[in-house]
Amino acid sequence: MSNQTPSRIPHFESMSKFPNEKIWPTDTPKTNLHIGGLFPIVGTSGWLGGQGCLPAVKMGLDDVNSFPDLLPGYQLVLHDNDSKCDPGLGLTALYDFIYRGASKLLILGGCSIVCSSVAETAKMYNLIVVGYGASSPALSNRDRFPTFFRTHPSATIHNPTRIRLFRQFGWQRIAVILEAEEVFISTGKDLETQCKKHGIEIVTRVSFITDPADAVKTLVRQKTRIIVGMFYGNAARRVMCEAYKQNLYGSKYVWFLIGWYEDNWYLPDDKVNCTKEEMLKAVQGHFTTEALMLNRDSNITVANVTAQEWLQRYHRELNISAESVNKPEGYQEAPLAYDAVWAIAYALNKTIQRLSAKNIAIESFRYENSLIKDELHNALKETKFLGVSGLVAFSDEGFKLSFTFL
């Protein structure tokens, strides 16, 4: 493959085809390969990372469609829809993708609860789903989700790091508080299993749906000092505000929180009855663990730029500076979304070559066609390249291998 720097295609204009759906084409006379995209952007709960990830995906489309030796004679066309991190809306959008317009070769998805419902249904239509922002351990179940891949690692990747810290500091009694979503429930169960293997006691594991007050009061009654929290960012604000009210903070307590919240996640909103100063006291000194999402070295990536050069371009796309406190949700996962487009393009490129040897055109794909799905599935399993998020390669369970950091 050529190392020529991909040229920049002018910014796309939205073209609405049916309600809530936008199409991002280029004007080059090539055969279109259609993909569907679910981006949680507007909503009241869950992960709304489509805000930061959709611009990164558009950058990826820009680049793969202009790369000289990739997908010759073809171009990727994205049909995107706001799922609002709602599994019902996600399924509605999936059926829109399937039953309206051209056949979609695969689906891009974000938000674990949406990816779970969509991937479980998509397999019945021979559709591959590639998740750019879905960390639920349940999605690694190949019996349940045989056509699901993701550039986001499983949330269980954090548990070995947590265990090492527990052992290093001699912490033997741990409490877990989590939001009642599959991604956190399954991660919590895995942490409990890992703790038992190392002789660490889970004193209590409490959950909540919307109001964490009773769950936090249970932590107080159990007199726990080391607390692992697993919840989305909007719920994290409510938990830490309640922790302040219950005096469950300070030098006597250690909180472990998720590292993919935005930089200013703790600032109070209209659902939190705490001041900024109170929230700062509550979160002071907490630990976070997170998967490495942006390559930290200066190697040239698949896009012919370093990760830092890509980040500067991404900031220009968002019209923000690196120091901005108003980064969109999904900002940290944006490199994973960008690399997901390259993974798709490479897999399609390899699939096109293999189908050509069988005198089959990839654009002939229909939802009853398992042969093209199988070729695409195999090509994704073989995909390996250096992306802006680091090395992109998929495990047997379909998730990207990654490192964690504190």
Side-chain angles (χ1 to χ4, degrees), residues 35-153:
I35 61 177
L38 298 171
F39 297 89
I41 295 174
V42 178
T44 58
S45 63
W47 183 73
L48 302 178
Q51 299 169 14
C53 288
L54 179 56
V57 166
K58 289 160 58 180
M59 289 169 61
L61 289 170
D62 230 348
D63 292 346
V64 301
N65 281 335
S66 60
F67 205 82
D69 297 329
L70 192 59
L71 300 174
Y74 294 94
Q75 67 175 357
L76 293 182
V77 176
L78 173 70
H79 304 249
D80 73 275
N81 201 305
D82 182 2
S83 71
K84 305 184 190 299
C85 199
D86 181 309
L89 290 177
L91 279 175
T92 298
L94 175 66
Y95 289 125
D96 277 346
F97 291 151
I98 292 172
Y99 291 109
R100 301 189 187 187
S103 293
K104 314 304 183 293
L105 280 161
L106 48 76
I107 305 295
L108 263 172
C111 172
S112 289
I113 56 176
V114 168
C115 284
S116 295
S117 59
V118 166
E120 203 159 22
T121 302
K123 65 185 179 184
M124 295 184 286
Y125 294 89
N126 290 303
L127 273 170
I128 302 286
V129 179
V130 178
Y132 57 84
S135 62
S136 173
L139 289 164
S140 297
N141 184 332
R142 271 298 185 230
D143 292 330
R144 187 177 169 195
F145 306 106
T147 63
F148 184 76
F149 292 82
R150 51 179 160 177
T151 51
H152 198 300

Side-chain angles (χ1 to χ4, degrees), residues 56 74 111 234 250 265 273 281 288 301 317 327 329 339 382 390:
Y74 294 94
C111 172
N234 49 12
W265 68 267
N273 187 25
K281 288 181 180 179
T288 63
T301 68
E317 290 284 331
K327 296 183 177 74
E329 193 164 355
D339 283 348
E382 298 166 8

Side-chain angles (χ1 to χ4, degrees), residues 85-351:
C85 199
D86 181 309
L89 290 177
L91 279 175
T92 298
L94 175 66
Y95 289 125
D96 277 346
F97 291 151
I98 292 172
Y99 291 109
R100 301 189 187 187
S103 293
K104 314 304 183 293
L105 280 161
L106 48 76
I107 305 295
L108 263 172
C111 172
S112 289
I113 56 176
V114 168
C115 284
S116 295
S117 59
V118 166
E120 203 159 22
T121 302
K123 65 185 179 184
M124 295 184 286
Y125 294 89
N126 290 303
L127 273 170
I128 302 286
V129 179
V130 178
Y132 57 84
S135 62
S136 173
L139 289 164
S140 297
N141 184 332
R142 271 298 185 230
D143 292 330
R144 187 177 169 195
F145 306 106
T147 63
F148 184 76
F149 292 82
R150 51 179 160 177
T151 51
H152 198 300
S154 168
T156 56
I157 197 173
H158 308 295
N159 288 338
T161 303
R162 291 166 175 146
I163 295 293
R164 287 193 65 178
L165 282 171
F166 298 161
R167 298 183 69 190
Q168 181 175 336
F169 290 105
W171 294 328
Q172 296 295 315
R173 301 178 76 252
I174 311 298
V176 178
I177 177 172
L178 50 86
E179 190 173 1
E181 297 283 2
E182 184 179 52
V183 55
F184 305 122
I185 293 171
S186 51
T187 305
K189 287 180 179 178
D190 179 78
L191 178 61
E192 188 168 359
T193 300
Q194 297 299 321
C195 282
K196 287 181 179 178
K197 289 180 180 178
H198 293 88
I200 299 170
E201 179 186 2
I202 299 292
V203 178
T204 186
R205 188 178 72 181
V206 293
S207 63
F208 63 92
I209 297 175
T210 54
D211 185 357
D214 289 341
V216 174
K217 289 174 183 176
T218 298
L219 298 180
V220 174
R221 288 194 297 270
Q222 293 290 339
K223 298 181 179 180
T224 51
R225 306 285 188 180
I226 314 302
I227 306 165
V228 179
M230 301 178 186
F231 21 71
Y232 287 117
N234 49 12
R237 286 188 287 275
R238 297 195 296 271
V239 170
M240 298 315 296
C241 178
E242 190 63 32
Y244 177 83
K245 294 176 181 178
Q246 299 295 330
N247 205 32
L248 203 66
Y249 70 95
S251 59
K252 294 182 179 180
Y253 299 92
V254 178
W255 280 86
F256 282 81
L257 301 178
I258 295 171
W260 44 252
Y261 302 148
E262 303 314 316
D263 291 342
N264 59 350
W265 68 267
Y266 53 84
L267 296 179
D269 57 19
D270 56 3
K271 297 182 178 64
V272 172
N273 187 25
C274 284
T275 66
K276 176 181 177 180
E277 290 71 25
E278 290 169 340
M279 291 294 289
L280 283 170
K281 288 181 180 179
V283 302
Q284 182 67 36
H286 72 274
F287 283 98
T288 63
T289 57
E290 188 44 71
L292 184 65
M293 296 190 187
L294 183 70
N295 195 2
R296 293 191 167 187
D297 61 36
S298 57
N299 291 333
I300 299 297
T301 68
V302 66
N304 231 350
V305 294
T306 67
Q308 286 301 319
E309 289 170 339
W310 177 88
L311 186 61
Q312 292 168 11
R313 177 184 160 203
Y314 177 61
H315 288 158
R316 292 194 296 271
E317 290 284 331
L318 297 179
N319 195 28
I320 64 171
S321 68
E323 295 76 26
S324 174
V325 297
N326 295 316
K327 296 183 177 74
E329 193 164 355
Y331 171 88
Q332 294 191 56
E333 292 83 0
L336 305 177
Y338 178 81
D339 283 348
V341 178
W342 278 94
I344 289 168
Y346 271 129
L348 286 171
N349 199 66
K350 185 172 289 188
T351 301

